[in-house]
Amino acid sequence: MIARGLPLRDAFALRRPLSWPSASRIAGAALAATYATSFALEIALGHGAREQAVPQFWDPTRTDAFIANALAIAVFVPIVEEAACRGLGFRLLESFGQPVAIVGSAVAFALAHGAVIDLPWVLVTGLGLGYLRSRSGSLFPCIALHAVVNGIAVLASAASAGG
């Protein structure tokens, strides 16, 4: 209902980025900030306190469920969350200025995750994604970066748990 009457390509920034090389550099910096914040929380709080941390066990009888979950986390979740936050959410906040759109979409993203202890790294991730959206003019690099973050988490889960 919120997007009703808006041209969908514009409302969701479904266009090529202004520059893929520039978007790649920004995404790399955002990824570094995300992992620096996550590692700082890991050191400060320990793994057991983390809400968004990868599991530390592997149940080989649940491989099919793991694969289905991995696809959802690394493919579908980035598309849906980015469409909501850096697509439509960003577009609606953009009339208040780029900084408001970046911060507002990041706060919505962080709060939607429901994490309290992990709020700092989810917020930093959202700020990086918002800045990427602002500078690239496109949702596509945001989806790609989000998929990388989630995909690495899935792979780390399998590797650290012996999967």
Side-chain angles (χ1 to χ4, degrees), residues 10-13 82-92 133 139:
D10 289 335
F12 290 96
E82 291 310 309
C85 293
R86 258 63 59 183
L88 185 59
F90 191 95
R91 168 74 159 83
L92 294 173
R133 164 63 177 84
L139 191 65

Side-chain angles (χ1 to χ4, degrees), residues 102-118:
I102 292 168
V103 173
S105 65
V107 168
F109 176 75
L111 293 175
H113 279 79
V116 175
I117 294 170
D118 280 332

Side-chain angles (χ1 to χ4, degrees), residues 40 61 64-66 71 79 81 86 90 92 110 113 116 127 134 139 143:
T61 64
D64 293 344
F66 176 83
L71 283 173
I79 293 169
E81 289 183 353
R86 258 63 59 183
F90 191 95
L92 294 173
H113 279 79
V116 175
L127 289 168
S134 173
L139 191 65
I143 292 170

Side-chain angles (χ1 to χ4, degrees), residues 110-139:
L111 293 175
H113 279 79
V116 175
I117 294 170
D118 280 332
L119 185 75
W121 89 262
V122 179
L123 182 60
V124 166
T125 302
L127 289 168
L129 288 163
Y131 186 77
L132 178 59
R133 164 63 177 84
S134 173
R135 295 297 172 243
S136 70
S138 173
L139 191 65

